[in-house]
C-alpha cells in the first residue's frame, strides 16, 4: 500500500508492517461481515496473528509464548496455501522492500 501515515519516511516500517498483515490476511478466507477492509476485522486479525506467531517460532523466536494453541493451529488450516509457502512469500516481500 505504501501509505506514509502522515509522518513521511519515519513511517516506512509501519507501511511494511501493514503490507505484511494485508498479504497474510489475503490468504485466509473472509469471515462473514468482514468483507469491508475499512472496518474492524477481528476474525481476520486473529488469523493473521496466528500465522505470525507460527512464523515467529519458525524464525527462532521460540519460547513458551510461541507455542500455538489448538485454536490457532485450526486457524492455520484455513490458509489457502501451506504456511511454509506463505512464509516464503512474506519473506520475499520483506527482502524486496526498499
Amino acid at each position: 500500500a505504501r501509505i506514509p501515515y502522515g509522518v513521511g519516511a519515519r513511517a516506512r516500517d509501519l507501511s511494511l508492517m501493514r503490507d505484511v498483515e494485508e498479504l497474510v490476511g489475503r490468504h485466509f478466507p473472509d469471515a462473514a461481515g468482514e468483507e469491508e477492509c475499512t472496518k474492524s476485522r477481528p476474525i481476520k486479525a486473529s488469523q493473521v496473528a496466528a500465522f505470525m506467531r507460527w512464523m515467529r517460532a519458525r524464525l527462532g523466536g521460540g519460547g513458551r509464548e510461541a507455542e500455538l494453541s489448538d485454536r490457532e493451529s485450526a486457524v492455520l488450516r484455513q490458509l489457502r496455501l501451506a504456511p511454509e509457502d506463505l512464509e516464503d512469500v512474506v519473506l520475499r516481500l520483506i527482502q524486496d522492500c526498499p
Side-chain angles (χ1 to χ4, degrees):
R2 302 286 173 236
I3 301 169
Y5 296 100
V7 291
R10 294 180 300 160
R12 189 180 342 256
D13 292 338
L14 279 178
S15 180
L16 176 60
M17 181 178 69
R18 176 149 171 88
D19 290 347
V20 169
E21 290 172 348
E22 290 296 322
L23 173 68
V24 171
R26 282 194 304 265
H27 288 84
F28 283 100
D30 287 331
E34 289 192 5
E35 298 85 359
E36 175 57 51
C37 68
T38 62
K39 297 181 181 177
S40 175
R41 299 181 290 172
I43 294 172
K44 186 68 71 176
S46 68
Q47 292 168 330
V48 171
F51 175 80
M52 297 310 288
R53 284 174 49 93
W54 173 87
M55 190 170 155
R56 177 180 170 213
R58 297 232 334 148
L59 296 175
R64 224 181 68 149
E65 65 276 358
E67 295 175 18
L68 293 181
S69 68
D70 291 340
R71 188 187 75 69
E72 288 173 318
S73 294
V75 166
L76 287 183
R77 288 192 293 274
Q78 297 173 9
L79 276 168
R80 293 184 174 128
L81 71 162
E84 297 83 3
D85 294 339
L86 181 53
E87 177 186 32
D88 290 341
V89 173
V90 168
L91 292 176
R92 272 195 309 262
L93 173 68
I94 293 168
Q95 290 169 350
D96 293 343
C97 183

